[in-house]
Amino acid sequence: MDVIKIRKDFPVLGKKIDGRNIVYLDNACATLKPRRVIEAMNDYYENYPACGGRSVHRLSTRVSIACEEARNKVQRFINAPSEKEIVFTKNTTEGLNLVARGFGLKKGDAVITTDKEHNSNLVPWHMLREKCGVAHIIAKSLPDGTFDIEDFKKRMKDGRSKIKLASIYHTSNLDGYTLPAKDIIEIAHDAGAHVLLDAAQSVPHIPVDVKRLDADFIAFSGQKMCGPSGIGILYGKEELLETLEPFTVGGDSVASTTYEKSVLLGPPHRFEGGLQNYAGIIGLGAAVDYLSALGMDSIEKHEKTLNARLARTLSEIRHVSLIGPPDPALRGGITSFNIEGVAPHDIAMILDESANIMVRSGTLCAHSWFKARKINSCVRASFYFYNLEKDADALAGCIEKIVTDFCR
Ligand code: ALA
């Protein structure tokens, strides 16, 4: 990959703060946007800022066509069998909530997650337990953060006929570890459960093929894959979307209504009530084109190279502890760490203010994991394809300096 050339596509990478370029390593939270995405959205606002799916005039028709083209692009990107299986949502969280609310789980049923879930794949199950009495089972990770497949198998066996849904992260936002999703899905299916993958951190970074995985649902977000914020995707197998109950209904989600009754449209439109985020959908389509042209295999390889380089340097710095598997090949493009005796938010601020290095710090929307392990929080650096080796080196150099200055 020609990273120097690629970087020219990202306007913000050409800008300076305090006279220096930025080193953006907060990609697991939100990625930067290439010019092509920004232009696609501007084109919508400048040239056809109408609504889609309703009016028959030319501007509106153009919106409808552009949105359905974006849907087809997403379909091809994840190898979904039908465009009807691609539902536009606000973000991953909304996709997960849509399944949690609409899947028809009731008292006596159970859902299984892991002990490493983002709050978006935890809070909906807490609510379902409190409101409807749906049990929540938690599969354990191994001490290094990898998936304990034996524990999962046992829990699926013990909970057979009770566990209706396994809702699990695909790639962890905490440490970058990617689960053996295909095996997990097979185990869940054999036990009679469906599977929902929180794919917010996988779809932007590795090739994801829903047909090969045989995933029932996957949810992900535009903003983590070079697209705009405020747009997400829920993929669901067509026959499951047919029975999933929508929670936002209204304009454009119905075929017809009387005063007494509504006839819903089929998927995906029945889930897309109200005017949509047209600029976001169109921008997402442009982001998918951009990533497809680069190739997901190349993106994955590049991130792993940078993470391995960072790991080599960090392993030589005392007082630094890593979160997740020690082998960087198992952590995609993510390195989460702590420096003994230095608060993560302080580290993040020092990195930002002294070197324009932007990382995330805190509990990464996974308080439950940190609390269970009595770790306050951490710093997370996350790479993307536009990062350079010198970005990894700059981070390592600053960490070394912080250790020298603050650790005795
Ligand atoms: N899920 C996002 C992150 O991990 C917000 O940063």
Side-chain angles (χ1 to χ4, degrees), residues 291-326:
L291 295 181
S292 305
L294 290 180
M296 295 311 295
D297 287 314
S298 310
I299 291 174
E300 179 182 9
K301 189 162 162 246
H302 181 71
E303 289 179 22
K304 282 190 167 164
T305 306
L306 296 186
N307 223 13
R309 186 179 176 96
L310 177 63
R312 273 197 299 280
T313 334
L314 291 192
S315 65
E316 284 159 21
I317 309 176
R318 290 194 316 136
H319 305 288
V320 174
S321 58
L322 290 179
I323 287 182

Side-chain angles (χ1 to χ4, degrees), residues 361-374:
S361 51
T363 48
L364 315 179
C365 306
H367 307 72
S368 52
W369 186 91
F370 285 92
K371 283 200 171 135
R373 281 151 194 82
K374 300 193 174 24

